[in-house]
Amino acid sequence: MQNQNVIQLSSTPTPMERLRENAILLSVEVHCPSFTKTDRKASAEHSRNRNAKVGRHNISKLLIESPLLAAIRSLGGDARNVVKNECSPFDRGRFLCPNYKIIDIKEAVRDVFKQCQVHKDEFVSQYPMIMARNQIELGDDFNPSEYPSLREVTAKISWELRPWPVPLEDDFRSQVEQDGLEELTDEFNRGADNALRDSLERVFADLRKTIENMSTQLGDREENLDSKRQFKTKCRPFHETLLDNVTRYVNMLDVCNIYDNAEVKASQQQIRDLLASVSVPQLKSSDSLRLETKTQVDEIIKNLPTL
C-alpha cells in the first residue's frame, strides 16, 4: 500500500543553489608580520615624563625594517585588487567569482605571488645580515630573544588565494542541535540575503559612477578662449578603459543579481547593447557619433533604478 502522505520535494534549485553552481568565493590572504613590539619600559617612562598615568602611552619599536617586507605587503594589495577588479564583493574580504573567470584570476594572482616569493627568498637569505644591521640601529634596545628564528620567519611570511563555496543553509543545519535550529536558520538566511543585497548595491553604485564618468568624457571639451593652447578637436581625451570599466561592472551583475531584479537586468541589456554598437576609435573620430552616444548614455542614466 502506497503512502499517500509523501511530500514531493521540488527539484527547482533555489537562487543560492544556482549561485553556488555558477560561482565560488575567493579571498586573498597575505601574512607578513609587522615585526614591531611594544616597549613597556619606554612607554612607562614616557608617561611619567609627560606627567601622565602609566599605561596611557604605547611606544613600539620596529624590530625589522626592510623594503622587501614592504614590497610583499604591497604585492598583497595588488593580488587583492586582481580579485576585486573582476569579482563582485560578498563579505569579510571575500568576492563572488563566476566559474568562467576562475582560471584567469588564478593565473593573474599566481603571477603576483611569484613576485612575493622572489622578495621572500631574498629576505630569508639576508636575514642574518638584517639582524646584524638592526643590532647596530637599535643600540641598547636590541634584544636577540625578541627575534624569530629563520625557520619561524619563513613560516610567518605566506600568502594564499583561498576558495570558499557559496554558503548554503544545509552547510550548517547538520552541524547544530535541533534546539535553536530555526533561529540559526533565520539568522543565516538574513546574513546571506544582506550580503548579496549589499553586493548588488555596491556593484550597481560602481556601475552608476563609471557610466556617469563615461557621459562626462563623451561631452565636448571645455573651451578656454584665453588659453594659448587651442585643441584641434572638441573630443576630450579618453582611453579603451572608458568602455572596459563599464563592461566590467555590467558583467559583475550577472553573478550578484541572483534574485533576477527585472530593472537591473533591463539596465544591463541596455548598456550591453550600447557598448556593442560603438568602439573607442569610432567615438574619437566622429563628433556626431560621440554626442549621439552621450545622449543614449544620459538616457540610460536617467532610467537607472534605485536599489
Side-chain angles (χ1 to χ4, degrees), residues 235-251:
C235 181
R236 294 171 182 263
F238 52 81
H239 307 285
E240 293 289 341
T241 53
L242 181 70
L243 304 185
D244 292 343
N245 290 338
V246 178
T247 300
R248 183 169 72 247
Y249 290 115
V250 168
N251 291 339

mmCIF file with all atom_site columns, all heavy atoms in Angstrom, residues 235-251:
data_model
loop_
_atom_site.group_PDB
_atom_site.id
_atom_site.type_symbol
_atom_site.label_atom_id
_atom_site.label_alt_id
_atom_site.label_comp_id
_atom_site.label_asym_id
_atom_site.label_entity_id
_atom_site.label_seq_id
_atom_site.pdbx_PDB_ins_code
_atom_site.Cartn_x
_atom_site.Cartn_y
_atom_site.Cartn_z
_atom_site.occupancy
_atom_site.B_iso_or_equiv
_atom_site.pdbx_formal_charge
_atom_site.auth_seq_id
_atom_site.auth_comp_id
_atom_site.auth_asym_id
_atom_site.auth_atom_id
_atom_site.pdbx_PDB_model_num
ATOM 1   N N   . CYS A 1 235 ? 36.799 66.742 -28.853 1.00 0.00 ? 235 CYS A N   1
ATOM 2   C CA  . CYS A 1 235 ? 36.754 65.475 -28.110 1.00 0.00 ? 235 CYS A CA  1
ATOM 3   C C   . CYS A 1 235 ? 37.706 65.507 -26.921 1.00 0.00 ? 235 CYS A C   1
ATOM 4   O O   . CYS A 1 235 ? 38.883 65.870 -27.039 1.00 0.00 ? 235 CYS A O   1
ATOM 5   C CB  . CYS A 1 235 ? 37.118 64.329 -29.047 1.00 0.00 ? 235 CYS A CB  1
ATOM 6   S SG  . CYS A 1 235 ? 37.087 62.705 -28.261 1.00 0.00 ? 235 CYS A SG  1
ATOM 7   N N   . ARG A 1 236 ? 37.204 65.135 -25.765 1.00 0.00 ? 236 ARG A N   1
ATOM 8   C CA  . ARG A 1 236 ? 38.053 65.016 -24.577 1.00 0.00 ? 236 ARG A CA  1
ATOM 9   C C   . ARG A 1 236 ? 38.979 63.804 -24.741 1.00 0.00 ? 236 ARG A C   1
ATOM 10  O O   . ARG A 1 236 ? 38.645 62.849 -25.454 1.00 0.00 ? 236 ARG A O   1
ATOM 11  C CB  . ARG A 1 236 ? 37.207 64.813 -23.315 1.00 0.00 ? 236 ARG A CB  1
ATOM 12  C CG  . ARG A 1 236 ? 36.338 66.002 -22.930 1.00 0.00 ? 236 ARG A CG  1
ATOM 13  C CD  . ARG A 1 236 ? 35.405 65.592 -21.816 1.00 0.00 ? 236 ARG A CD  1
ATOM 14  N NE  . ARG A 1 236 ? 34.509 66.673 -21.432 1.00 0.00 ? 236 ARG A NE  1
ATOM 15  C CZ  . ARG A 1 236 ? 34.722 67.491 -20.396 1.00 0.00 ? 236 ARG A CZ  1
ATOM 16  N NH1 . ARG A 1 236 ? 35.796 67.331 -19.648 1.00 0.00 ? 236 ARG A NH1 1
ATOM 17  N NH2 . ARG A 1 236 ? 33.859 68.441 -20.109 1.00 0.00 ? 236 ARG A NH2 1
ATOM 18  N N   . PRO A 1 237 ? 40.117 63.787 -24.044 1.00 0.00 ? 237 PRO A N   1
ATOM 19  C CA  . PRO A 1 237 ? 40.983 62.603 -24.111 1.00 0.00 ? 237 PRO A CA  1
ATOM 20  C C   . PRO A 1 237 ? 40.399 61.458 -23.269 1.00 0.00 ? 237 PRO A C   1
ATOM 21  O O   . PRO A 1 237 ? 40.009 61.651 -22.123 1.00 0.00 ? 237 PRO A O   1
ATOM 22  C CB  . PRO A 1 237 ? 42.301 63.104 -23.513 1.00 0.00 ? 237 PRO A CB  1
ATOM 23  C CG  . PRO A 1 237 ? 41.905 64.230 -22.606 1.00 0.00 ? 237 PRO A CG  1
ATOM 24  C CD  . PRO A 1 237 ? 40.714 64.870 -23.247 1.00 0.00 ? 237 PRO A CD  1
ATOM 25  N N   . PHE A 1 238 ? 40.287 60.278 -23.836 1.00 0.00 ? 238 PHE A N   1
ATOM 26  C CA  . PHE A 1 238 ? 39.885 59.095 -23.076 1.00 0.00 ? 238 PHE A CA  1
ATOM 27  C C   . PHE A 1 238 ? 40.499 57.862 -23.735 1.00 0.00 ? 238 PHE A C   1
ATOM 28  O O   . PHE A 1 238 ? 40.986 57.906 -24.862 1.00 0.00 ? 238 PHE A O   1
ATOM 29  C CB  . PHE A 1 238 ? 38.363 58.971 -22.955 1.00 0.00 ? 238 PHE A CB  1
ATOM 30  C CG  . PHE A 1 238 ? 37.600 59.043 -24.253 1.00 0.00 ? 238 PHE A CG  1
ATOM 31  C CD1 . PHE A 1 238 ? 37.486 57.943 -25.087 1.00 0.00 ? 238 PHE A CD1 1
ATOM 32  C CD2 . PHE A 1 238 ? 36.981 60.231 -24.638 1.00 0.00 ? 238 PHE A CD2 1
ATOM 33  C CE1 . PHE A 1 238 ? 36.775 58.010 -26.278 1.00 0.00 ? 238 PHE A CE1 1
ATOM 34  C CE2 . PHE A 1 238 ? 36.263 60.312 -25.828 1.00 0.00 ? 238 PHE A CE2 1
ATOM 35  C CZ  . PHE A 1 238 ? 36.168 59.195 -26.656 1.00 0.00 ? 238 PHE A CZ  1
ATOM 36  N N   . HIS A 1 239 ? 40.476 56.744 -23.006 1.00 0.00 ? 239 HIS A N   1
ATOM 37  C CA  . HIS A 1 239 ? 41.171 55.532 -23.429 1.00 0.00 ? 239 HIS A CA  1
ATOM 38  C C   . HIS A 1 239 ? 40.182 54.362 -23.525 1.00 0.00 ? 239 HIS A C   1
ATOM 39  O O   . HIS A 1 239 ? 38.991 54.510 -23.244 1.00 0.00 ? 239 HIS A O   1
ATOM 40  C CB  . HIS A 1 239 ? 42.294 55.205 -22.446 1.00 0.00 ? 239 HIS A CB  1
ATOM 41  C CG  . HIS A 1 239 ? 43.239 56.355 -22.216 1.00 0.00 ? 239 HIS A CG  1
ATOM 42  N ND1 . HIS A 1 239 ? 44.184 56.732 -23.137 1.00 0.00 ? 239 HIS A ND1 1
ATOM 43  C CD2 . HIS A 1 239 ? 43.355 57.228 -21.171 1.00 0.00 ? 239 HIS A CD2 1
ATOM 44  C CE1 . HIS A 1 239 ? 44.859 57.783 -22.687 1.00 0.00 ? 239 HIS A CE1 1
ATOM 45  N NE2 . HIS A 1 239 ? 44.370 58.111 -21.495 1.00 0.00 ? 239 HIS A NE2 1
ATOM 46  N N   . GLU A 1 240 ? 40.717 53.192 -23.904 1.00 0.00 ? 240 GLU A N   1
ATOM 47  C CA  . GLU A 1 240 ? 39.895 51.991 -24.028 1.00 0.00 ? 240 GLU A CA  1
ATOM 48  C C   . GLU A 1 240 ? 39.181 51.651 -22.721 1.00 0.00 ? 240 GLU A C   1
ATOM 49  O O   . GLU A 1 240 ? 38.107 51.059 -22.719 1.00 0.00 ? 240 GLU A O   1
ATOM 50  C CB  . GLU A 1 240 ? 40.762 50.800 -24.455 1.00 0.00 ? 240 GLU A CB  1
ATOM 51  C CG  . GLU A 1 240 ? 41.326 50.905 -25.861 1.00 0.00 ? 240 GLU A CG  1
ATOM 52  C CD  . GLU A 1 240 ? 40.259 50.736 -26.933 1.00 0.00 ? 240 GLU A CD  1
ATOM 53  O OE1 . GLU A 1 240 ? 39.173 50.196 -26.618 1.00 0.00 ? 240 GLU A OE1 1
ATOM 54  O OE2 . GLU A 1 240 ? 40.513 51.145 -28.085 1.00 0.00 ? 240 GLU A OE2 1
ATOM 55  N N   . THR A 1 241 ? 39.804 52.018 -21.603 1.00 0.00 ? 241 THR A N   1
ATOM 56  C CA  . THR A 1 241 ? 39.212 51.695 -20.297 1.00 0.00 ? 241 THR A CA  1
ATOM 57  C C   . THR A 1 241 ? 37.882 52.401 -20.077 1.00 0.00 ? 241 THR A C   1
ATOM 58  O O   . THR A 1 241 ? 37.113 52.007 -19.204 1.00 0.00 ? 241 THR A O   1
ATOM 59  C CB  . THR A 1 241 ? 40.175 52.077 -19.158 1.00 0.00 ? 241 THR A CB  1
ATOM 60  O OG1 . THR A 1 241 ? 40.579 53.451 -19.306 1.00 0.00 ? 241 THR A OG1 1
ATOM 61  C CG2 . THR A 1 241 ? 41.418 51.196 -19.170 1.00 0.00 ? 241 THR A CG2 1
ATOM 62  N N   . LEU A 1 242 ? 37.596 53.417 -20.869 1.00 0.00 ? 242 LEU A N   1
ATOM 63  C CA  . LEU A 1 242 ? 36.327 54.126 -20.713 1.00 0.00 ? 242 LEU A CA  1
ATOM 64  C C   . LEU A 1 242 ? 35.158 53.158 -20.875 1.00 0.00 ? 242 LEU A C   1
ATOM 65  O O   . LEU A 1 242 ? 34.192 53.187 -20.101 1.00 0.00 ? 242 LEU A O   1
ATOM 66  C CB  . LEU A 1 242 ? 36.214 55.248 -21.749 1.00 0.00 ? 242 LEU A CB  1
ATOM 67  C CG  . LEU A 1 242 ? 34.938 56.099 -21.676 1.00 0.00 ? 242 LEU A CG  1
ATOM 68  C CD1 . LEU A 1 242 ? 34.945 56.964 -20.433 1.00 0.00 ? 242 LEU A CD1 1
ATOM 69  C CD2 . LEU A 1 242 ? 34.793 56.966 -22.925 1.00 0.00 ? 242 LEU A CD2 1
ATOM 70  N N   . LEU A 1 243 ? 35.246 52.274 -21.864 1.00 0.00 ? 243 LEU A N   1
ATOM 71  C CA  . LEU A 1 243 ? 34.196 51.283 -22.088 1.00 0.00 ? 243 LEU A CA  1
ATOM 72  C C   . LEU A 1 243 ? 34.443 50.018 -21.269 1.00 0.00 ? 243 LEU A C   1
ATOM 73  O O   . LEU A 1 243 ? 33.500 49.384 -20.794 1.00 0.00 ? 243 LEU A O   1
ATOM 74  C CB  . LEU A 1 243 ? 34.105 50.922 -23.579 1.00 0.00 ? 243 LEU A CB  1
ATOM 75  C CG  . LEU A 1 243 ? 33.891 52.080 -24.556 1.00 0.00 ? 243 LEU A CG  1
ATOM 76  C CD1 . LEU A 1 243 ? 33.690 51.543 -25.975 1.00 0.00 ? 243 LEU A CD1 1
ATOM 77  C CD2 . LEU A 1 243 ? 32.701 52.934 -24.153 1.00 0.00 ? 243 LEU A CD2 1
ATOM 78  N N   . ASP A 1 244 ? 35.718 49.657 -21.101 1.00 0.00 ? 244 ASP A N   1
ATOM 79  C CA  . ASP A 1 244 ? 36.056 48.422 -20.379 1.00 0.00 ? 244 ASP A CA  1
ATOM 80  C C   . ASP A 1 244 ? 35.568 48.470 -18.938 1.00 0.00 ? 244 ASP A C   1
ATOM 81  O O   . ASP A 1 244 ? 35.093 47.456 -18.397 1.00 0.00 ? 244 ASP A O   1
ATOM 82  C CB  . ASP A 1 244 ? 37.562 48.186 -20.404 1.00 0.00 ? 244 ASP A CB  1
ATOM 83  C CG  . ASP A 1 244 ? 38.068 47.857 -21.803 1.00 0.00 ? 244 ASP A CG  1
ATOM 84  O OD1 . ASP A 1 244 ? 37.232 47.505 -22.660 1.00 0.00 ? 244 ASP A OD1 1
ATOM 85  O OD2 . ASP A 1 244 ? 39.292 47.954 -22.037 1.00 0.00 ? 244 ASP A OD2 1
ATOM 86  N N   . ASN A 1 245 ? 35.713 49.634 -18.294 1.00 0.00 ? 245 ASN A N   1
ATOM 87  C CA  . ASN A 1 245 ? 35.298 49.743 -16.894 1.00 0.00 ? 245 ASN A CA  1
ATOM 88  C C   . ASN A 1 245 ? 33.796 49.543 -16.738 1.00 0.00 ? 245 ASN A C   1
ATOM 89  O O   . ASN A 1 245 ? 33.336 48.898 -15.795 1.00 0.00 ? 245 ASN A O   1
ATOM 90  C CB  . ASN A 1 245 ? 35.697 51.114 -16.328 1.00 0.00 ? 245 ASN A CB  1
ATOM 91  C CG  . ASN A 1 245 ? 37.189 51.248 -16.147 1.00 0.00 ? 245 ASN A CG  1
ATOM 92  O OD1 . ASN A 1 245 ? 37.907 50.261 -16.040 1.00 0.00 ? 245 ASN A OD1 1
ATOM 93  N ND2 . ASN A 1 245 ? 37.678 52.474 -16.130 1.00 0.00 ? 245 ASN A ND2 1
ATOM 94  N N   . VAL A 1 246 ? 33.030 50.082 -17.669 1.00 0.00 ? 246 VAL A N   1
ATOM 95  C CA  . VAL A 1 246 ? 31.583 49.898 -17.626 1.00 0.00 ? 246 VAL A CA  1
ATOM 96  C C   . VAL A 1 246 ? 31.239 48.427 -17.846 1.00 0.00 ? 246 VAL A C   1
ATOM 97  O O   . VAL A 1 246 ? 30.415 47.842 -17.130 1.00 0.00 ? 246 VAL A O   1
ATOM 98  C CB  . VAL A 1 246 ? 30.882 50.771 -18.679 1.00 0.00 ? 246 VAL A CB  1
ATOM 99  C CG1 . VAL A 1 246 ? 29.378 50.523 -18.653 1.00 0.00 ? 246 VAL A CG1 1
ATOM 100 C CG2 . VAL A 1 246 ? 31.174 52.247 -18.426 1.00 0.00 ? 246 VAL A CG2 1
ATOM 101 N N   . THR A 1 247 ? 31.902 47.808 -18.825 1.00 0.00 ? 247 THR A N   1
ATOM 102 C CA  . THR A 1 247 ? 31.649 46.397 -19.127 1.00 0.00 ? 247 THR A CA  1
ATOM 103 C C   . THR A 1 247 ? 31.928 45.515 -17.926 1.00 0.00 ? 247 THR A C   1
ATOM 104 O O   . THR A 1 247 ? 31.182 44.557 -17.642 1.00 0.00 ? 247 THR A O   1
ATOM 105 C CB  . THR A 1 247 ? 32.529 45.947 -20.313 1.00 0.00 ? 247 THR A CB  1
ATOM 106 O OG1 . THR A 1 247 ? 32.217 46.743 -21.456 1.00 0.00 ? 247 THR A OG1 1
ATOM 107 C CG2 . THR A 1 247 ? 32.286 44.482 -20.636 1.00 0.00 ? 247 THR A CG2 1
ATOM 108 N N   . ARG A 1 248 ? 32.998 45.828 -17.190 1.00 0.00 ? 248 ARG A N   1
ATOM 109 C CA  . ARG A 1 248 ? 33.369 45.005 -16.039 1.00 0.00 ? 248 ARG A CA  1
ATOM 110 C C   . ARG A 1 248 ? 32.255 44.970 -15.004 1.00 0.00 ? 248 ARG A C   1
ATOM 111 O O   . ARG A 1 248 ? 31.883 43.896 -14.511 1.00 0.00 ? 248 ARG A O   1
ATOM 112 C CB  . ARG A 1 248 ? 34.662 45.543 -15.406 1.00 0.00 ? 248 ARG A CB  1
ATOM 113 C CG  . ARG A 1 248 ? 35.150 44.684 -14.236 1.00 0.00 ? 248 ARG A CG  1
ATOM 114 C CD  . ARG A 1 248 ? 36.546 45.052 -13.804 1.00 0.00 ? 248 ARG A CD  1
ATOM 115 N NE  . ARG A 1 248 ? 36.604 46.318 -13.118 1.00 0.00 ? 248 ARG A NE  1
ATOM 116 C CZ  . ARG A 1 248 ? 37.199 47.393 -13.586 1.00 0.00 ? 248 ARG A CZ  1
ATOM 117 N NH1 . ARG A 1 248 ? 37.775 47.369 -14.759 1.00 0.00 ? 248 ARG A NH1 1
ATOM 118 N NH2 . ARG A 1 248 ? 37.229 48.520 -12.884 1.00 0.00 ? 248 ARG A NH2 1
ATOM 119 N N   . TYR A 1 249 ? 31.684 46.128 -14.681 1.00 0.00 ? 249 TYR A N   1
ATOM 120 C CA  . TYR A 1 249 ? 30.626 46.156 -13.665 1.00 0.00 ? 249 TYR A CA  1
ATOM 121 C C   . TYR A 1 249 ? 29.315 45.582 -14.195 1.00 0.00 ? 249 TYR A C   1
ATOM 122 O O   . TYR A 1 249 ? 28.553 44.959 -13.437 1.00 0.00 ? 249 TYR A O   1
ATOM 123 C CB  . TYR A 1 249 ? 30.433 47.580 -13.148 1.00 0.00 ? 249 TYR A CB  1
ATOM 124 C CG  . TYR A 1 249 ? 31.592 48.064 -12.312 1.00 0.00 ? 249 TYR A CG  1
ATOM 125 C CD1 . TYR A 1 249 ? 32.394 49.126 -12.726 1.00 0.00 ? 249 TYR A CD1 1
ATOM 126 C CD2 . TYR A 1 249 ? 31.902 47.426 -11.118 1.00 0.00 ? 249 TYR A CD2 1
ATOM 127 C CE1 . TYR A 1 249 ? 33.467 49.546 -11.966 1.00 0.00 ? 249 TYR A CE1 1
ATOM 128 C CE2 . TYR A 1 249 ? 32.983 47.850 -10.351 1.00 0.00 ? 249 TYR A CE2 1
ATOM 129 C CZ  . TYR A 1 249 ? 33.759 48.907 -10.780 1.00 0.00 ? 249 TYR A CZ  1
ATOM 130 O OH  . TYR A 1 249 ? 34.829 49.320 -10.027 1.00 0.00 ? 249 TYR A OH  1
ATOM 131 N N   . VAL A 1 250 ? 29.052 45.769 -15.482 1.00 0.00 ? 250 VAL A N   1
ATOM 132 C CA  . VAL A 1 250 ? 27.858 45.159 -16.067 1.00 0.00 ? 250 VAL A CA  1
ATOM 133 C C   . VAL A 1 250 ? 27.935 43.637 -15.935 1.00 0.00 ? 250 VAL A C   1
ATOM 134 O O   . VAL A 1 250 ? 26.953 42.970 -15.588 1.00 0.00 ? 250 VAL A O   1
ATOM 135 C CB  . VAL A 1 250 ? 27.703 45.570 -17.548 1.00 0.00 ? 250 VAL A CB  1
ATOM 136 C CG1 . VAL A 1 250 ? 26.642 44.725 -18.234 1.00 0.00 ? 250 VAL A CG1 1
ATOM 137 C CG2 . VAL A 1 250 ? 27.316 47.039 -17.646 1.00 0.00 ? 250 VAL A CG2 1
ATOM 138 N N   . ASN A 1 251 ? 29.110 43.070 -16.194 1.00 0.00 ? 251 ASN A N   1
ATOM 139 C CA  . ASN A 1 251 ? 29.276 41.622 -16.094 1.00 0.00 ? 251 ASN A CA  1
ATOM 140 C C   . ASN A 1 251 ? 29.188 41.121 -14.658 1.00 0.00 ? 251 ASN A C   1
ATOM 141 O O   . ASN A 1 251 ? 28.722 40.006 -14.406 1.00 0.00 ? 251 ASN A O   1
ATOM 142 C CB  . ASN A 1 251 ? 30.610 41.203 -16.709 1.00 0.00 ? 251 ASN A CB  1
ATOM 143 C CG  . ASN A 1 251 ? 30.632 41.374 -18.219 1.00 0.00 ? 251 ASN A CG  1
ATOM 144 O OD1 . ASN A 1 251 ? 29.584 41.433 -18.854 1.00 0.00 ? 251 ASN A OD1 1
ATOM 145 N ND2 . ASN A 1 251 ? 31.813 41.469 -18.800 1.00 0.00 ? 251 ASN A ND2 1
#
